Amino acid sequence: MLDVAAHQGWLVTVLNITNLVQMVIQGRWLKDSSLLTIPHIENHHLHIFRKWSPGVKVPRAGYHGSIECLPELIHVCAGKDHVFSSMIEKELPAPKMKQAWNFLSHLPVIDVGLSVKGWWDDAAEGHDEVSITTLASDKRSDNRWVRLHADQEYVLQVSLQRVSLGFHKGKQDSHAVTPRFPKSKDEGWFLILGEVDKRELIALKRVGYVRSHHVVSISFYTPEVPGRYIYTLYLMSDCYLGLDQQYDIHLHVTPASISAQADEISDALTDLRVK
């Protein structure tokens, strides 16, 4: 089903199917708080996280806001089980609290880095690589926009770095924690590149378990018409709810590079001679 939607270029359908996979694996609805995927945490426990504030027991906690989702809870705990236990020790017995922490401590934290490789007329020998910021900034800033040539193939380099927060000690396990799913499931990811304004899927790649560092290359062609375009990259888990990330990639597409097209024709002719 996912492959059919991807072949047709249906961005919204691909995103919805991925969310459906997450819901089936975790046994929860997408509209529910992602905190409810933690074993033994129910709706009546959510107020504990929303009202939580660091006290004497956790003087170094760096987050002081309301906890509404899994990433915020991960940030607050920072790998320390006593921070988590201080929140729910009055609500859950020790065995259930241990199971809840075991789930939270196994959740992946992935840092994403982006860059584009390709051809620019003014680059040394034509080929170059441009880094893309993943931090939110003003769209009107020219520094935000990456200049690319129209109707040209480029490669989006996605660097996935697993962050170790000291949650889980010992050998890493590729199995996802799926307490409500009857079968063993390896942790995996989908990288989805699309243009939201046109609801068009540009590329889809599956990525397996990220043990430490992994770089994924996604090829794409720029639009034929020069102008400004915004592509969006989604990093979506194939088994967890609430851990998805998305990044806008601002492209300033300039007229096509004549020299790059000439090189492509030359390479094609060379291939024909070899054959």
Side-chain angles (χ1 to χ4, degrees), residues 84 119 123 144 159 163 167 193 198 229 266 273:
F84 180 70
W119 180 282
R144 181 74 170 173
S159 172
V163 180
F167 276 150
L193 182 65
K198 295 182 179 179
Y229 301 84
S266 177
R273 293 192 193 100

Side-chain angles (χ1 to χ4, degrees), residues 29 44 48 95 114 130 141 147 172 184 186 188 195-196 220 226 234-235 239 250 253 255 260:
W29 295 107
H44 62 273
I48 300 172
L114 302 176
V130 176
S141 173
R147 185 180 64 84
Q172 291 184 351
S184 176
D186 281 341
E195 188 174 1
V196 176
F220 68 96
Y234 301 86
L235 174 65
C239 51
H250 298 74
V253 179

Side-chain angles (χ1 to χ4, degrees), residues 8-13 16 194-201:
Q8 296 295 330
W10 297 335
L11 175 62
V12 177
T13 304
N16 287 338
E195 188 174 1
V196 176
D197 289 343
K198 295 182 179 179
R199 302 164 69 92
E200 179 183 358
L201 176 73

Side-chain angles (χ1 to χ4, degrees), residues 82-153:
H82 69 273
V83 178
F84 180 70
S85 62
S86 69
M87 300 178 190
I88 61 170
E89 59 187 355
K90 295 181 180 179
E91 300 291 333
L92 296 179
K96 290 185 177 180
M97 190 162 55
K98 183 177 180 180
Q99 291 175 2
W101 174 250
N102 181 63
F103 175 88
L104 187 65
S105 65
H106 279 79
L107 291 179
V109 179
I110 305 294
D111 269 353
V112 177
L114 302 176
S115 64
V116 175
K117 284 186 175 181
W119 180 282
W120 285 266
D121 276 338
D122 56 356
E125 299 182 356
H127 298 277
D128 205 350
E129 182 173 0
V130 176
S131 297
I132 300 175
T133 178
T134 56
L135 300 176
S137 63
D138 189 353
K139 294 181 182 179
R140 294 170 295 182
S141 173
D142 289 336
N143 295 331
R144 181 74 170 173
W145 297 86
V146 180
R147 185 180 64 84
L148 304 179
H149 291 297
D151 194 24
Q152 180 70 38
E153 184 179 19

Side-chain angles (χ1 to χ4, degrees), residues 42 62 85 87 126 131 137 142 160 177 179 181 194 219 225 260 262 264 274:
E42 302 296 340
S85 62
M87 300 178 190
S131 297
S137 63
D142 289 336
L160 304 176
V177 183
F181 194 66
S219 298
V225 180
E264 288 182 355
V274 171

